[in-house]
Amino acid sequence: MTTSTVSNIKADDVLNSRRNFLKLSAAASGTVLFGFHLPAEAQAPVAGSLEAMTDINSWIRITPDNKVICEVARAEMGQGTSTSLPMMLAEELECNWADVKMEFASVQEHLARNKIYGSFSTGGSRGTRESQEMMRKAGATAREMLKAAAAQQWNVPINECSAKGGHIYHTASKRSATYAALAQQAAKLPPPTNVVLKAPSEWTLIGKPIPRLDIPSKTNGGAVFGIDIKVRGMLHAAIVQCPVFGGIPIAVDDSAVKNRRGIKKVVTGPDFVAVIADNWWRAQQATKALKITWDYKGGDKLDDAGVMAILKQGITDAKPLKQVGNVASVFERSSKIIEAEYFTPYLNHATLEPQNCTAKVDGDKVEIWVPTQNAEASVTAAAKVLGIPEINVTCNRPYLGGGFGRRGAYQDFVTQSVLIAKELPGIPVKLLWSREEDMQHCYHRPAALYKLRAAFATDGQLEALEINCASQSILEKVRPAALRNGQDYQAGDSFHDIPYQIKNIDVRHGMCKINVPVGFWRSVFHSQNPYVRESFIDEICKAGNFDPLEFRLSLLPKDGRDYIILQAVAKAANWGSPLPKGHFRGLAVQDAYASFGAAVVELSVGPDKSVKVHHVYIAVDSGYVANSDSAKAQIEGNVAYCFTAAFLSEITIKDGRVQQNNFGDYPITLLRNSPTITPILVPTGGKDWGGMGEPPFAALTPALTNAIANATGERLRSLPLSKHGYTLA
């Protein structure tokens, strides 16, 4: 199809077909769709159709049996968003929670209707905190429309009507009606322009421990993940990518595989070669028999030593992120200075479900089935491959077998899938990476080098702190507009925004150019920078003979949330009380993603350096808690993920390529290594809804290493701890 023909296809054409589909669906099922002003004006919606829903958001459907179906735009990858967001809506709608179901919102409808669902992106612990107000307003708007319909039907003032349990009541006349009975009439009314949301003291659902809606299907095997997708007539694709970062294929000899049973086609892409077959195993085995000549473009010269050399230069060239007081002067006159160098390695996301996407290209349209953290970005990637409007892309959204940032900004697996499926028009092709491909072609957490110094005054108090760090910039590639004066402040998180009140501070960061793909990794730089900051704070405590808790509290504003959360975790862990013989504690505090967290780790260390973690206490102040059960589960999951990174994980580079291949040489923490975990929720309210998927991670690694230092006297300044001989018992 020519470009001009493609460009003449309009969003309205796709929307009209969906309108017709919904008309038929609504007529057949009796389901009523609700649309709401959030916040733009629009015409009143008509039951069972989308014609009057232009420029308004649509979140709720009420079925004839009084069930409520909630549309969820955010992805579900185990964090519980697909439950917490319907909880927000149901709280204001005043329906029975047992009657609430969810479905993933349509990206195609979202695009056709001026992006009515806001954001589909799930990352940075933003799912609940950025959608909660919208969902609550949607529920409140529907509630008021239903009350208005009842008042109109009964010819009574609306303020005499009340909503509860999926019914509207008029107490004076003892009349009531179900939402289903009122829905048709309510959908014809103009939505209210302003609705009053409940005060937190009135909540009956939000903050409660509600079982997640996705748990039954995930325990009985009914849940469908991307890797489970089956489409009639589907073929399978396996892929080989250039082992060296930035390399490309220049010649492919497929003579050994093209006549094999089940092999359909060999596809050469810009930086990969794929085999399409009637099943994945045949495709995967065929990729091993291909003879591929790669052009490494000089990338094969890079190794760990080269990475370290660039990081060291980055320290030398570091530019200021924060400067307070006169640090240089203090260091010149100080008679007591301590300094340290820390290092954190590259890390893989290690999602249990390897990257995958199923695509079917049919003329100027494409349909994809993809486990993605950002369905809108997936649609954009698919459309770009074919040069078609985004509205021509249909995106189906299964569950994700882990994301941790890998499936958000990076849509390489979608691009590859569409490129491969394009070679067999009209046939769905499922691309699945092998574990080895997934391990070696990640957008890794950046390696980072740190140099820190602290100067003491004559009275023994801390007087100045100097922090220099160097790493690659993630934002430079993904969101360059987010750089400030050419600097990546995100890379300096927890340093430039340090909460401790120190009179003289100098924080600098060096942005390094290294030929290793890097990207957002669970809690991003909050997964590594707090380890360095809070470990060095303990080094300062040891040098000054300060109690780690009292020293931190003395430097924090007493009305600040850091202070409050640190006290909360110390109280829960009974900090300062006697411990069993051989047991030691460590603590740390760190804010991240509008939440404040603190951790205490209690452990013992054997003579063989085996570390037995007996108890982990993690306190989090997220402002408000959506679902206390999911919040506690997130804390527990962070412990497992953090221990894997702290003890075991490291991506090393040799000859321009990743050395690790699979979980054999990139192991993960086992269930038997899990300690007793005490999650402590300390919601202080206010204006903020903080994140929960990543903040618990931030304080945990330094609390762990501080405890090991207290137990052994050895300060561990680089990760993973296994490099120092420590194992997790």
Side-chain angles (χ1 to χ4, degrees):
M1 177 170 286
T2 64
T3 302
S4 59
T5 305
V6 171
S7 64
N8 287 333
I9 296 175
K10 299 178 180 179
D12 288 345
D13 298 331
V14 177
L15 181 54
N16 285 334
S17 65
R18 178 163 175 80
R19 283 171 174 163
N20 292 331
F21 167 76
L22 285 171
K23 281 182 182 178
L24 295 173
S25 300
S29 67
T31 298
V32 178
L33 299 162
F34 274 88
F36 308 106
H37 292 287
L38 292 176
E41 294 182 359
Q43 301 173 33
V46 177
S49 72
L50 283 178
E51 271 104 346
M53 286 182 158
T54 307
D55 299 324
I56 55 177
N57 288 319
S58 183
W59 299 94
I60 301 171
R61 285 186 287 153
I62 296 177
T63 66
D65 57 352
N66 217 35
K67 304 295 184 184
V68 175
I69 300 174
C70 173
E71 301 281 346
V72 174
R74 307 285 181 164
E76 178 58 72
M77 48 189 170
Q79 81 280 29
T81 298
S82 64
T83 300
S84 61
L85 293 184
M87 284 173 64
M88 305 290 178
L89 186 146
E91 179 70 70
E92 295 289 346
L93 183 58
E94 294 287 7
C95 59
N96 290 320
W97 176 248
D99 292 332
V100 177
K101 299 180 180 180
M102 66 75 60
E103 65 178 27
F104 292 118
S106 163
V107 190
Q108 195 175 32
E109 182 179 334
H110 169 71
L111 294 173
R113 297 175 55 206
N114 198 24
K115 302 193 174 184
I116 60 170
Y117 291 112
S119 175
F120 278 74
S121 177
T122 308
S125 297
R126 296 192 304 267
T128 296
R129 64 191 176 103
E130 287 188 357
S131 294
Q132 52 82 21
E133 184 177 13
M134 186 179 292
M135 300 304 290
R136 289 191 292 146
K137 284 184 176 179
T141 302
R143 180 193 70 226
E144 294 306 307
M145 292 169 70
L146 290 161
K147 286 168 61 178
Q152 187 180 79
Q153 188 176 112
W154 298 332
N155 195 26
V156 299
I158 188 173
N159 59 8
E160 292 183 4
C161 297
S162 61
K164 187 176 182 180
H167 291 72
I168 302 297
Y169 295 93
H170 184 248
T171 305
S173 62
K174 297 183 180 180
R175 281 179 287 188
S176 68
T178 65
Y179 286 179
L182 296 167
Q184 292 280 351
Q185 185 175 348
K188 299 175 183 179
L189 300 175
T193 55
N194 292 297
V195 290
V196 177
L197 300 179
K198 289 183 180 180
S201 60
E202 300 175 298
W203 290 342
T204 58
L205 268 179
I206 297 176
K208 300 298 186 292
I210 304 298
R212 279 177 20 200
L213 297 175
D214 58 330
I215 286 178
S217 66
K218 288 182 176 179
T219 53
N220 65 22
V224 176
F225 294 80
I227 201 170
D228 300 321
I229 291 296
K230 294 179 181 178
V231 182
R232 186 183 299 276
M234 182 177 75
L235 295 176
H236 300 260
I239 197 169
V240 180
Q241 300 170 82
C242 183
V244 172
F245 304 127
I248 61 173
I250 54 176
V252 179
D253 180 357
D254 63 358
S255 57
V257 304
K258 62 183 180 181
N259 293 322
R260 286 188 181 184
R261 179 183 176 187
I263 302 302
K264 304 299 181 181
K265 192 163 189 176
V266 176
V267 179
T268 300
D271 56 359
F272 69 85
V273 180
V275 176
I276 305 174
D278 58 0
N279 67 51
W280 186 79
W281 182 249
R282 286 175 178 159
Q284 173 65 4
Q285 292 304 300
T287 62
K288 297 178 180 180
L290 295 172
K291 296 179 180 178
I292 306 171
T293 303
W294 302 99
D295 179 0
Y296 297 147
K297 296 186 175 295
D300 55 332
K301 304 297 189 295
L302 184 69
D303 58 15
D304 287 341
V307 170
M308 183 58 73
I310 297 172
L311 292 174
K312 287 182 176 180
Q313 187 61 47
I315 293 288
T316 301
D317 299 337
K319 296 179 180 179
L321 298 181
K322 179 185 183 75
Q323 291 181 307
V324 177
N326 194 330
V327 171
S329 175
V330 173
F331 276 98
E332 284 178 7
R333 68 172 185 267
S334 178
S335 59
K336 184 177 181 179
I337 297 172
I338 65 168
E339 57 185 35
E341 181 175 299
Y342 283 76
F343 172 75
T344 57
Y346 290 110
L347 293 182
N348 187 284
H349 293 82
T351 59
L352 290 184
E353 179 187 21
Q355 309 314 307
N356 66 87
C357 179
T358 301
K360 178 183 177 182
V361 177
D362 194 354
D364 62 343
K365 292 180 174 61
V366 60
E367 185 168 8
I368 57 176
W369 295 258
V370 56
T372 175
Q373 288 180 240
N374 190 343
E376 196 171 348
S378 298
V379 166
T380 298
K384 186 176 180 180
V385 170
L386 301 175
I388 60 176
E390 292 182 3
I391 199 67
N392 285 22
V393 181
T394 300
C395 180
N396 303 283
R397 303 165 58 198
Y399 287 122
L400 287 67
F404 314 120
R406 178 60 179 92
R407 291 181 154 103
Y410 317 102
Q411 299 290 325
D412 46 342
F413 48 95
V414 175
T415 297
Q416 294 166 351
S417 177
V418 176
L419 280 170
I420 294 166
K422 179 184 175 183
E423 296 298 311
L424 295 175
I427 300 175
V429 180
K430 178 179 181 179
L431 169 66
L432 172 64
W433 289 16
S434 67
R435 176 62 62 191
E436 289 76 13
E437 287 294 318
D438 195 68
M439 189 65 67
Q440 297 192 322
H441 294 90
C442 187
Y443 286 85
H444 306 280
R445 187 189 78 174
L449 184 66
Y450 311 81
K451 286 195 174 183
L452 305 94
R453 294 198 303 162
F456 293 80
T458 54
D459 62 357
Q461 298 302 305
L462 176 65
E463 190 174 9
L465 181 62
E466 180 183 88
I467 303 171
N468 289 287
C469 53
S471 67
Q472 290 168 260
S473 168
I474 301 173
L475 294 180
E476 186 178 26
K477 295 288 187 181
V478 178
R479 289 198 298 270
L483 298 177
R484 291 157 52 188
N485 299 320
Q487 283 293 94
D488 185 347
Y489 277 73
Q490 183 189 63
D493 280 350
S494 86
F495 296 136
H496 67 80
D497 54 354
I498 188 170
Y500 300 120
Q501 296 178 319
I502 303 170
K503 292 180 179 179
N504 302 279
I505 300 177
D506 190 343
V507 178
R508 298 168 184 257
H509 177 255
M511 286 173 54
C512 301
K513 308 287 186 182
I514 306 176
N515 189 35
V516 177
V518 296
F520 302 118
W521 191 93
R522 190 173 192 173
S523 76
V524 197
F525 285 97
H526 285 109
S527 70
Q528 54 204 125
N529 293 356
Y531 152 65
V532 176
R533 187 191 85 186
E534 292 293 293
S535 293
F536 193 63
I537 290 294
D538 257 36
E539 292 201 53
I540 292 170
C541 290
K542 185 174 180 60
N545 197 28
F546 307 129
D547 176 80
L549 174 62
E550 295 304 321
F551 179 74
R552 286 173 169 84
L553 292 175
S554 71
L555 296 178
L556 293 170
K558 289 184 170 51
D559 59 348
R561 293 167 69 188
D562 296 279
Y563 188 98
I564 294 170
I565 204 67
L566 188 55
Q567 282 196 317
V569 78
K571 180 179 179 181
N574 212 7
W575 182 269
S577 65
L579 285 167
K581 185 178 179 180
H583 287 215
F584 296 85
R585 296 188 186 102
L587 61 74
V589 63
Q590 175 66 50
D591 66 285
Y593 307 102
S595 287
F596 291 73
V600 171
V601 173
E602 179 187 335
L603 54 74
S604 58
V605 181
D608 59 350
K609 292 190 174 183
S610 61
V611 179
K612 175 63 177 178
V613 180
H614 301 285
H615 208 131
V616 172
Y617 302 84
I618 300 183
V620 179
D621 169 16
S622 55
Y624 299 97
V625 173
N627 183 338
S628 59
D629 184 64
S630 289
K632 290 177 180 178
Q634 286 283 45
I635 289 174
E636 293 164 353
N638 269 272
V639 173
Y641 203 73
C642 177
F643 279 10
T644 292
F647 277 97
L648 302 169
S649 299
E650 181 183 31
I651 290 294
T652 57
I653 309 299
K654 182 180 179 182
D655 299 329
R657 64 188 74 191
V658 170
Q659 295 302 289
Q660 288 68 31
N661 278 292
N662 209 314
F663 288 128
D665 50 13
Y666 195 88
I668 60 176
T669 301
L670 303 177
L671 186 61
R672 67 169 180 259
N673 302 128
S674 180
T676 299
I677 303 169
T678 298
I680 307 146
L681 303 178
V682 191
T684 57
K687 297 180 180 179
D688 292 328
W689 284 73
M692 188 57 75
E694 297 166 291
F697 194 117
L700 187 51
T701 306
L704 171 69
T705 54
N706 286 340
I708 292 174
N710 291 333
T712 67
E714 183 178 7
R715 174 55 60 182
L716 303 173
R717 298 193 182 101
S718 66
L719 300 175
L721 302 181
S722 58
K723 299 273 282 197
H724 304 276
Y726 288 88
T727 59
L728 187 58

